[in-house]
Amino acid sequence: MDTILIVEDEKTIRDFVATALRNGGFAPREADCAEAAMRELAAGGCDAVLLDLGLPDRDGLSLLREIREQSDLPVIIVSARSQENDKVLALDYGADDYITKPFGTPELLARIRAALRRHPSAGEKPADRYSVGELTIDYERRLVTLGGEEVHLTVNEYRLVELLSRHPGRVLTYDAISQAIWGQEARRSNQLLRVNMANIRRKLEQNPAEPRYIHTEVGVGYRMAENV
């Protein structure tokens, strides 16, 4: 049974989420502030974190950055902040997902399950390939095939596809992708990224306007379909 740490200062919401987790087969632990959250994490045994951004002792983004400095645990933001900029910052700081309040129990549990699937257990060997539908990426051979036929990508196109496919189901922001592929300077403009992504979609998608493999989160970034 996976243990989920709920970091939320409002008791009614904390109680609601804890009940939902128990009914969904998870074991909840609770913290009402950032300091209590760090104590729980230091004690060990948590498999994922549900983090509210509006905490009484410090901003949740600051806590997220501290968690990321110490751990690769799945962190899902659960916040009333719905502005695009808040989502971008949280994802750039290392959040795995972002849920806006109010939310339904089925959605919450599905997001948790998806985040846990994306994080292999300690010591587990990283996947050597990605596969969805007719698309397969063999990381060892640096080979991309579609319907059994090799797809010829440029060096940077392959790096983009590999980066996204190693985090299936997770939104990677435009800035995070650009910095990983081209370095700090590329963050000033998304144009280079958009051009490369358009070329990739022409090669991978049957209908680039309705992509099956690489999805756009408007104003935020890109998300690769989850592998099966």
Side-chain angles (χ1 to χ4, degrees):
M1 182 180 294
D2 291 307
T3 298
I4 313 298
L5 176 62
I6 308 164
V7 186
E8 167 65 62
D9 62 321
E10 293 190 30
K11 188 177 186 305
T12 53
I13 297 178
R14 212 166 54 243
D15 290 345
F16 165 76
V17 173
T19 299
L21 291 178
R22 291 190 191 94
N23 292 338
F26 297 104
R29 281 164 61 179
E30 302 178 26
D32 60 2
C33 64
E35 183 179 353
M38 291 308 297
R39 286 198 302 268
E40 290 289 340
L41 291 172
C46 292
D47 297 293
V49 180
L50 298 178
L51 175 60
D52 180 32
L53 295 181
L55 300 175
D57 53 346
R58 59 192 282 201
D59 186 75
L61 288 175
S62 171
L63 176 58
L64 172 61
R65 296 186 73 170
E66 184 172 353
I67 293 173
R68 274 290 161 262
E69 289 172 358
Q70 303 177 21
S71 169
D72 193 38
L73 279 176
V75 178
I76 300 173
I77 303 300
V78 181
S79 176
R81 301 181 191 176
S82 59
Q83 295 297 313
E84 192 173 272
N85 186 57
D86 291 317
K87 297 180 181 180
V88 171
L89 278 175
L91 292 166
D92 269 343
Y93 284 2
D96 290 82
D97 206 342
Y98 195 111
I99 304 175
T100 303
K101 299 176 183 176
F103 53 86
T105 297
E107 178 188 7
L108 175 67
L109 296 177
R111 299 286 188 103
I112 293 171
R113 290 192 295 267
L116 289 170
R117 284 197 301 270
R118 294 195 295 267
H119 286 253
S121 303
E124 185 175 327
K125 184 180 178 180
D128 60 359
R129 66 174 51 208
Y130 165 93
S131 182
V132 167
E134 297 184 325
L135 175 64
T136 298
I137 304 170
D138 186 321
Y139 300 127
E140 184 175 347
R141 300 169 62 194
R142 295 178 66 85
L143 178 66
V144 179
T145 57
L146 189 66
E149 298 292 328
E150 181 177 357
V151 179
H152 296 282
L153 301 177
T154 67
V155 172
N156 282 333
E157 287 169 0
Y158 175 81
R159 292 177 66 197
L160 274 167
V161 170
E162 180 182 6
L163 175 65
L164 288 166
S165 65
R166 287 191 181 275
H167 305 277
R170 176 177 176 179
V171 179
L172 299 184
T173 64
Y174 300 130
D175 279 356
I177 297 170
S178 294
Q179 183 172 354
I181 304 301
W182 294 286
Q184 188 69 26
E185 290 300 311
R187 295 183 62 182
R188 297 179 181 177
S189 172
N190 292 326
Q191 185 60 30
L192 185 58
L193 173 58
R194 294 182 192 279
V195 169
N196 275 266
M197 190 58 66
N199 291 335
I200 290 170
R201 280 181 167 152
R202 279 196 290 270
K203 296 176 181 180
L204 298 186
E205 304 286 359
Q206 184 175 2
N207 181 2
E210 298 180 3
R212 178 181 181 185
Y213 302 115
I214 303 177
H215 304 279
T216 300
E217 298 291 335
V218 179
V220 180
Y222 297 105
R223 170 177 54 83
M224 200 83 169
E226 287 200 60
N227 52 334
V228 293

PDB file of all heavy atoms in Angstrom, residues 94-124:
ATOM      1  N   GLY A  94       9.681  21.344 -10.600  1.00  0.00           N
ATOM      2  CA  GLY A  94       9.808  19.902 -10.430  1.00  0.00           C
ATOM      3  C   GLY A  94       8.552  19.151 -10.056  1.00  0.00           C
ATOM      4  O   GLY A  94       8.616  17.956  -9.770  1.00  0.00           O
ATOM      5  N   ALA A  95       7.389  19.823 -10.044  1.00  0.00           N
ATOM      6  CA  ALA A  95       6.141  19.109  -9.754  1.00  0.00           C
ATOM      7  C   ALA A  95       5.833  18.130 -10.876  1.00  0.00           C
ATOM      8  O   ALA A  95       6.139  18.378 -12.043  1.00  0.00           O
ATOM      9  CB  ALA A  95       4.981  20.091  -9.592  1.00  0.00           C
ATOM     10  N   ASP A  96       5.220  17.007 -10.524  1.00  0.00           N
ATOM     11  CA  ASP A  96       4.846  16.005 -11.519  1.00  0.00           C
ATOM     12  C   ASP A  96       3.497  16.307 -12.155  1.00  0.00           C
ATOM     13  O   ASP A  96       3.247  15.905 -13.286  1.00  0.00           O
ATOM     14  CB  ASP A  96       4.792  14.619 -10.866  1.00  0.00           C
ATOM     15  CG  ASP A  96       6.165  14.116 -10.492  1.00  0.00           C
ATOM     16  OD1 ASP A  96       6.672  14.514  -9.422  1.00  0.00           O
ATOM     17  OD2 ASP A  96       6.737  13.348 -11.262  1.00  0.00           O
ATOM     18  N   ASP A  97       2.643  17.006 -11.419  1.00  0.00           N
ATOM     19  CA  ASP A  97       1.306  17.280 -11.934  1.00  0.00           C
ATOM     20  C   ASP A  97       0.721  18.435 -11.141  1.00  0.00           C
ATOM     21  O   ASP A  97       1.268  18.843 -10.097  1.00  0.00           O
ATOM     22  CB  ASP A  97       0.423  16.037 -11.801  1.00  0.00           C
ATOM     23  CG  ASP A  97      -0.709  16.012 -12.825  1.00  0.00           C
ATOM     24  OD1 ASP A  97      -1.016  17.070 -13.404  1.00  0.00           O
ATOM     25  OD2 ASP A  97      -1.288  14.934 -13.036  1.00  0.00           O
ATOM     26  N   TYR A  98      -0.404  18.973 -11.625  1.00  0.00           N
ATOM     27  CA  TYR A  98      -1.029  20.134 -10.992  1.00  0.00           C
ATOM     28  C   TYR A  98      -2.541  19.965 -11.085  1.00  0.00           C
ATOM     29  O   TYR A  98      -3.093  19.862 -12.183  1.00  0.00           O
ATOM     30  CB  TYR A  98      -0.594  21.405 -11.718  1.00  0.00           C
ATOM     31  CG  TYR A  98      -0.854  22.705 -10.980  1.00  0.00           C
ATOM     32  CD1 TYR A  98       0.207  23.453 -10.482  1.00  0.00           C
ATOM     33  CD2 TYR A  98      -2.150  23.186 -10.797  1.00  0.00           C
ATOM     34  CE1 TYR A  98      -0.011  24.659  -9.816  1.00  0.00           C
ATOM     35  CE2 TYR A  98      -2.382  24.372 -10.130  1.00  0.00           C
ATOM     36  CZ  TYR A  98      -1.309  25.112  -9.648  1.00  0.00           C
ATOM     37  OH  TYR A  98      -1.534  26.299  -8.985  1.00  0.00           O
ATOM     38  N   ILE A  99      -3.211  19.901  -9.951  1.00  0.00           N
ATOM     39  CA  ILE A  99      -4.662  19.779  -9.891  1.00  0.00           C
ATOM     40  C   ILE A  99      -5.226  21.053  -9.260  1.00  0.00           C
ATOM     41  O   ILE A  99      -4.757  21.495  -8.212  1.00  0.00           O
ATOM     42  CB  ILE A  99      -5.103  18.569  -9.048  1.00  0.00           C
ATOM     43  CG1 ILE A  99      -4.477  17.285  -9.583  1.00  0.00           C
ATOM     44  CG2 ILE A  99      -6.619  18.450  -9.026  1.00  0.00           C
ATOM     45  CD1 ILE A  99      -4.779  16.074  -8.732  1.00  0.00           C
ATOM     46  N   THR A 100      -6.225  21.627  -9.915  1.00  0.00           N
ATOM     47  CA  THR A 100      -6.837  22.854  -9.408  1.00  0.00           C
ATOM     48  C   THR A 100      -8.071  22.529  -8.574  1.00  0.00           C
ATOM     49  O   THR A 100      -8.903  21.719  -8.980  1.00  0.00           O
ATOM     50  CB  THR A 100      -7.229  23.778 -10.572  1.00  0.00           C
ATOM     51  OG1 THR A 100      -6.069  24.054 -11.371  1.00  0.00           O
ATOM     52  CG2 THR A 100      -7.787  25.094 -10.054  1.00  0.00           C
ATOM     53  N   LYS A 101      -8.169  23.127  -7.390  1.00  0.00           N
ATOM     54  CA  LYS A 101      -9.356  22.978  -6.551  1.00  0.00           C
ATOM     55  C   LYS A 101     -10.504  23.763  -7.173  1.00  0.00           C
ATOM     56  O   LYS A 101     -10.285  24.850  -7.721  1.00  0.00           O
ATOM     57  CB  LYS A 101      -9.093  23.516  -5.146  1.00  0.00           C
ATOM     58  CG  LYS A 101      -7.971  22.814  -4.392  1.00  0.00           C
ATOM     59  CD  LYS A 101      -7.741  23.519  -3.047  1.00  0.00           C
ATOM     60  CE  LYS A 101      -6.585  22.904  -2.282  1.00  0.00           C
ATOM     61  NZ  LYS A 101      -6.301  23.645  -1.030  1.00  0.00           N
ATOM     62  N   PRO A 102     -11.759  23.287  -7.063  1.00  0.00           N
ATOM     63  CA  PRO A 102     -12.148  21.981  -6.511  1.00  0.00           C
ATOM     64  C   PRO A 102     -11.888  20.871  -7.512  1.00  0.00           C
ATOM     65  O   PRO A 102     -11.789  21.115  -8.716  1.00  0.00           O
ATOM     66  CB  PRO A 102     -13.647  22.153  -6.254  1.00  0.00           C
ATOM     67  CG  PRO A 102     -14.084  23.144  -7.296  1.00  0.00           C
ATOM     68  CD  PRO A 102     -12.928  24.083  -7.487  1.00  0.00           C
ATOM     69  N   PHE A 103     -11.794  19.649  -7.018  1.00  0.00           N
ATOM     70  CA  PHE A 103     -11.505  18.509  -7.876  1.00  0.00           C
ATOM     71  C   PHE A 103     -12.329  17.319  -7.406  1.00  0.00           C
ATOM     72  O   PHE A 103     -12.836  17.281  -6.288  1.00  0.00           O
ATOM     73  CB  PHE A 103     -10.010  18.164  -7.823  1.00  0.00           C
ATOM     74  CG  PHE A 103      -9.502  17.962  -6.418  1.00  0.00           C
ATOM     75  CD1 PHE A 103      -9.601  16.729  -5.794  1.00  0.00           C
ATOM     76  CD2 PHE A 103      -8.946  19.017  -5.707  1.00  0.00           C
ATOM     77  CE1 PHE A 103      -9.160  16.542  -4.492  1.00  0.00           C
ATOM     78  CE2 PHE A 103      -8.507  18.850  -4.402  1.00  0.00           C
ATOM     79  CZ  PHE A 103      -8.609  17.612  -3.801  1.00  0.00           C
ATOM     80  N   GLY A 104     -12.465  16.334  -8.282  1.00  0.00           N
ATOM     81  CA  GLY A 104     -13.205  15.128  -7.941  1.00  0.00           C
ATOM     82  C   GLY A 104     -12.273  14.029  -7.464  1.00  0.00           C
ATOM     83  O   GLY A 104     -11.094  13.991  -7.833  1.00  0.00           O
ATOM     84  N   THR A 105     -12.796  13.130  -6.646  1.00  0.00           N
ATOM     85  CA  THR A 105     -11.998  12.016  -6.128  1.00  0.00           C
ATOM     86  C   THR A 105     -11.440  11.122  -7.232  1.00  0.00           C
ATOM     87  O   THR A 105     -10.257  10.777  -7.191  1.00  0.00           O
ATOM     88  CB  THR A 105     -12.835  11.178  -5.145  1.00  0.00           C
ATOM     89  OG1 THR A 105     -13.190  11.993  -4.023  1.00  0.00           O
ATOM     90  CG2 THR A 105     -12.050   9.979  -4.647  1.00  0.00           C
ATOM     91  N   PRO A 106     -12.223  10.723  -8.257  1.00  0.00           N
ATOM     92  CA  PRO A 106     -11.663   9.868  -9.304  1.00  0.00           C
ATOM     93  C   PRO A 106     -10.465  10.505 -10.003  1.00  0.00           C
ATOM     94  O   PRO A 106      -9.475   9.833 -10.310  1.00  0.00           O
ATOM     95  CB  PRO A 106     -12.836   9.675 -10.264  1.00  0.00           C
ATOM     96  CG  PRO A 106     -14.055   9.857  -9.413  1.00  0.00           C
ATOM     97  CD  PRO A 106     -13.676  10.932  -8.439  1.00  0.00           C
ATOM     98  N   GLU A 107     -10.557  11.818 -10.275  1.00  0.00           N
ATOM     99  CA  GLU A 107      -9.434  12.501 -10.930  1.00  0.00           C
ATOM    100  C   GLU A 107      -8.202  12.491 -10.038  1.00  0.00           C
ATOM    101  O   GLU A 107      -7.089  12.196 -10.495  1.00  0.00           O
ATOM    102  CB  GLU A 107      -9.803  13.951 -11.256  1.00  0.00           C
ATOM    103  CG  GLU A 107      -8.640  14.722 -11.895  1.00  0.00           C
ATOM    104  CD  GLU A 107      -8.904  16.213 -12.049  1.00  0.00           C
ATOM    105  OE1 GLU A 107      -9.935  16.695 -11.540  1.00  0.00           O
ATOM    106  OE2 GLU A 107      -8.070  16.882 -12.682  1.00  0.00           O
ATOM    107  N   LEU A 108      -8.383  12.795  -8.754  1.00  0.00           N
ATOM    108  CA  LEU A 108      -7.252  12.809  -7.823  1.00  0.00           C
ATOM    109  C   LEU A 108      -6.558  11.458  -7.772  1.00  0.00           C
ATOM    110  O   LEU A 108      -5.327  11.370  -7.887  1.00  0.00           O
ATOM    111  CB  LEU A 108      -7.738  13.198  -6.427  1.00  0.00           C
ATOM    112  CG  LEU A 108      -6.686  13.148  -5.311  1.00  0.00           C
ATOM    113  CD1 LEU A 108      -5.619  14.202  -5.524  1.00  0.00           C
ATOM    114  CD2 LEU A 108      -7.345  13.328  -3.943  1.00  0.00           C
ATOM    115  N   LEU A 109      -7.332  10.388  -7.622  1.00  0.00           N
ATOM    116  CA  LEU A 109      -6.743   9.052  -7.519  1.00  0.00           C
ATOM    117  C   LEU A 109      -6.052   8.656  -8.824  1.00  0.00           C
ATOM    118  O   LEU A 109      -4.978   8.034  -8.797  1.00  0.00           O
ATOM    119  CB  LEU A 109      -7.826   8.030  -7.159  1.00  0.00           C
ATOM    120  CG  LEU A 109      -8.493   8.228  -5.788  1.00  0.00           C
ATOM    121  CD1 LEU A 109      -9.598   7.194  -5.589  1.00  0.00           C
ATOM    122  CD2 LEU A 109      -7.472   8.138  -4.660  1.00  0.00           C
ATOM    123  N   ALA A 110      -6.640   9.038  -9.952  1.00  0.00           N
ATOM    124  CA  ALA A 110      -6.028   8.712 -11.243  1.00  0.00           C
ATOM    125  C   ALA A 110      -4.701   9.438 -11.406  1.00  0.00           C
ATOM    126  O   ALA A 110      -3.717   8.856 -11.905  1.00  0.00           O
ATOM    127  CB  ALA A 110      -6.983   9.076 -12.377  1.00  0.00           C
ATOM    128  N   ARG A 111      -4.641  10.701 -10.994  1.00  0.00           N
ATOM    129  CA  ARG A 111      -3.395  11.468 -11.105  1.00  0.00           C
ATOM    130  C   ARG A 111      -2.309  10.862 -10.213  1.00  0.00           C
ATOM    131  O   ARG A 111      -1.143  10.808 -10.594  1.00  0.00           O
ATOM    132  CB  ARG A 111      -3.640  12.918 -10.709  1.00  0.00           C
ATOM    133  CG  ARG A 111      -4.650  13.675 -11.539  1.00  0.00           C
ATOM    134  CD  ARG A 111      -4.138  14.064 -12.915  1.00  0.00           C
ATOM    135  NE  ARG A 111      -5.073  14.950 -13.588  1.00  0.00           N
ATOM    136  CZ  ARG A 111      -4.914  16.260 -13.712  1.00  0.00           C
ATOM    137  NH1 ARG A 111      -3.840  16.845 -13.219  1.00  0.00           N
ATOM    138  NH2 ARG A 111      -5.808  16.984 -14.356  1.00  0.00           N
ATOM    139  N   ILE A 112      -2.695  10.409  -9.030  1.00  0.00           N
ATOM    140  CA  ILE A 112      -1.720   9.795  -8.119  1.00  0.00           C
ATOM    141  C   ILE A 112      -1.182   8.502  -8.718  1.00  0.00           C
ATOM    142  O   ILE A 112       0.028   8.256  -8.721  1.00  0.00           O
ATOM    143  CB  ILE A 112      -2.358   9.525  -6.740  1.00  0.00           C
ATOM    144  CG1 ILE A 112      -2.684  10.844  -6.033  1.00  0.00           C
ATOM    145  CG2 ILE A 112      -1.415   8.688  -5.870  1.00  0.00           C
ATOM    146  CD1 ILE A 112      -3.495  10.669  -4.772  1.00  0.00           C
ATOM    147  N   ARG A 113      -2.081   7.665  -9.220  1.00  0.00           N
ATOM    148  CA  ARG A 113      -1.642   6.398  -9.817  1.00  0.00           C
ATOM    149  C   ARG A 113      -0.700   6.636 -10.993  1.00  0.00           C
ATOM    150  O   ARG A 113       0.307   5.944 -11.163  1.00  0.00           O
ATOM    151  CB  ARG A 113      -2.854   5.570 -10.248  1.00  0.00           C
ATOM    152  CG  ARG A 113      -3.671   5.006  -9.088  1.00  0.00           C
ATOM    153  CD  ARG A 113      -4.673   3.972  -9.572  1.00  0.00           C
ATOM    154  NE  ARG A 113      -5.691   4.557 -10.447  1.00  0.00           N
ATOM    155  CZ  ARG A 113      -6.865   5.013 -10.040  1.00  0.00           C
ATOM    156  NH1 ARG A 113      -7.197   4.947  -8.756  1.00  0.00           N
ATOM    157  NH2 ARG A 113      -7.741   5.513 -10.907  1.00  0.00           N
ATOM    158  N   ALA A 114      -1.032   7.634 -11.815  1.00  0.00           N
ATOM    159  CA  ALA A 114      -0.190   7.939 -12.972  1.00  0.00           C
ATOM    160  C   ALA A 114       1.186   8.421 -12.530  1.00  0.00           C
ATOM    161  O   ALA A 114       2.214   8.019 -13.094  1.00  0.00           O
ATOM    162  CB  ALA A 114      -0.858   8.994 -13.849  1.00  0.00           C
ATOM    163  N   ALA A 115       1.236   9.278 -11.505  1.00  0.00           N
ATOM    164  CA  ALA A 115       2.524   9.784 -11.020  1.00  0.00           C
ATOM    165  C   ALA A 115       3.370   8.669 -10.444  1.00  0.00           C
ATOM    166  O   ALA A 115       4.590   8.625 -10.657  1.00  0.00           O
ATOM    167  CB  ALA A 115       2.286  10.872  -9.969  1.00  0.00           C
ATOM    168  N   LEU A 116       2.749   7.743  -9.725  1.00  0.00           N
ATOM    169  CA  LEU A 116       3.497   6.622  -9.150  1.00  0.00           C
ATOM    170  C   LEU A 116       4.040   5.709 -10.236  1.00  0.00           C
ATOM    171  O   LEU A 116       5.146   5.183 -10.113  1.00  0.00           O
ATOM    172  CB  LEU A 116       2.597   5.830  -8.189  1.00  0.00           C
ATOM    173  CG  LEU A 116       2.246   6.530  -6.877  1.00  0.00           C
ATOM    174  CD1 LEU A 116       1.164   5.757  -6.135  1.00  0.00           C
ATOM    175  CD2 LEU A 116       3.482   6.683  -5.994  1.00  0.00           C
ATOM    176  N   ARG A 117       3.271   5.518 -11.325  1.00  0.00           N
ATOM    177  CA  ARG A 117       3.750   4.688 -12.435  1.00  0.00           C
ATOM    178  C   ARG A 117       4.980   5.287 -13.101  1.00  0.00           C
ATOM    179  O   ARG A 117       5.844   4.568 -13.604  1.00  0.00           O
ATOM    180  CB  ARG A 117       2.652   4.503 -13.490  1.00  0.00           C
ATOM    181  CG  ARG A 117       1.562   3.532 -13.119  1.00  0.00           C
ATOM    182  CD  ARG A 117       0.773   3.113 -14.342  1.00  0.00           C
ATOM    183  NE  ARG A 117       0.145   4.231 -15.020  1.00  0.00           N
ATOM    184  CZ  ARG A 117      -1.074   4.686 -14.738  1.00  0.00           C
ATOM    185  NH1 ARG A 117      -1.786   4.129 -13.775  1.00  0.00           N
ATOM    186  NH2 ARG A 117      -1.586   5.703 -15.419  1.00  0.00           N
ATOM    187  N   ARG A 118       5.058   6.619 -13.105  1.00  0.00           N
ATOM    188  CA  ARG A 118       6.167   7.277 -13.790  1.00  0.00           C
ATOM    189  C   ARG A 118       7.452   7.261 -12.974  1.00  0.00           C
ATOM    190  O   ARG A 118       8.514   7.599 -13.482  1.00  0.00           O
ATOM    191  CB  ARG A 118       5.793   8.729 -14.121  1.00  0.00           C
ATOM    192  CG  ARG A 118       4.671   8.851 -15.124  1.00  0.00           C
ATOM    193  CD  ARG A 118       4.582  10.251 -15.684  1.00  0.00           C
ATOM    194  NE  ARG A 118       4.217  11.247 -14.692  1.00  0.00           N
ATOM    195  CZ  ARG A 118       2.970  11.643 -14.450  1.00  0.00           C
ATOM    196  NH1 ARG A 118       1.960  11.087 -15.107  1.00  0.00           N
ATOM    197  NH2 ARG A 118       2.716  12.566 -13.551  1.00  0.00           N
ATOM    198  N   HIS A 119       7.358   6.904 -11.696  1.00  0.00           N
ATOM    199  CA  HIS A 119       8.537   6.879 -10.836  1.00  0.00           C
ATOM    200  C   HIS A 119       8.855   5.441 -10.467  1.00  0.00           C
ATOM    201  O   HIS A 119       8.180   4.855  -9.615  1.00  0.00           O
ATOM    202  CB  HIS A 119       8.299   7.700  -9.562  1.00  0.00           C
ATOM    203  CG  HIS A 119       8.333   9.174  -9.806  1.00  0.00           C
ATOM    204  ND1 HIS A 119       9.378   9.969  -9.398  1.00  0.00           N
ATOM    205  CD2 HIS A 119       7.463   9.994 -10.428  1.00  0.00           C
ATOM    206  CE1 HIS A 119       9.139  11.216  -9.752  1.00  0.00           C
ATOM    207  NE2 HIS A 119       7.987  11.262 -10.373  1.00  0.00           N
ATOM    208  N   PRO A 120       9.879   4.829 -11.072  1.00  0.00           N
ATOM    209  CA  PRO A 120      10.225   3.442 -10.739  1.00  0.00           C
ATOM    210  C   PRO A 120      10.710   3.321  -9.307  1.00  0.00           C
ATOM    211  O   PRO A 120      11.217   4.276  -8.719  1.00  0.00           O
ATOM    212  CB  PRO A 120      11.342   3.105 -11.723  1.00  0.00           C
ATOM    213  CG  PRO A 120      11.924   4.429 -12.098  1.00  0.00           C
ATOM    214  CD  PRO A 120      10.776   5.401 -12.068  1.00  0.00           C
ATOM    215  N   SER A 121      10.530   2.138  -8.736  1.00  0.00           N
ATOM    216  CA  SER A 121      10.987   1.888  -7.365  1.00  0.00           C
ATOM    217  C   SER A 121      12.496   2.007  -7.288  1.00  0.00           C
ATOM    218  O   SER A 121      13.206   1.850  -8.275  1.00  0.00           O
ATOM    219  CB  SER A 121      10.557   0.489  -6.921  1.00  0.00           C
ATOM    220  OG  SER A 121       9.160   0.345  -7.012  1.00  0.00           O
ATOM    221  N   ALA A 122      13.007   2.272  -6.106  1.00  0.00           N
ATOM    222  CA  ALA A 122      14.438   2.425  -5.903  1.00  0.00           C
ATOM    223  C   ALA A 122      15.169   1.178  -6.382  1.00  0.00           C
ATOM    224  O   ALA A 122      14.787   0.054  -6.075  1.00  0.00           O
ATOM    225  CB  ALA A 122      14.736   2.669  -4.425  1.00  0.00           C
ATOM    226  N   GLY A 123      16.208   1.385  -7.163  1.00  0.00           N
ATOM    227  CA  GLY A 123      17.009   0.265  -7.633  1.00  0.00           C
ATOM    228  C   GLY A 123      16.469  -0.383  -8.895  1.00  0.00           C
ATOM    229  O   GLY A 123      17.123  -1.228  -9.480  1.00  0.00           O
ATOM    230  N   GLU A 124      15.282  -0.002  -9.322  1.00  0.00           N
ATOM    231  CA  GLU A 124      14.711  -0.587 -10.527  1.00  0.00           C
ATOM    232  C   GLU A 124      15.427  -0.038 -11.750  1.00  0.00           C
ATOM    233  O   GLU A 124      15.704   1.155 -11.858  1.00  0.00           O
ATOM    234  CB  GLU A 124      13.224  -0.256 -10.607  1.00  0.00           C
ATOM    235  CG  GLU A 124      12.510  -0.916 -11.770  1.00  0.00           C
ATOM    236  CD  GLU A 124      11.023  -0.645 -11.726  1.00  0.00           C
ATOM    237  OE1 GLU A 124      10.488  -0.531 -10.611  1.00  0.00           O
ATOM    238  OE2 GLU A 124      10.409  -0.545 -12.805  1.00  0.00           O
TER     239      GLU A 124
END
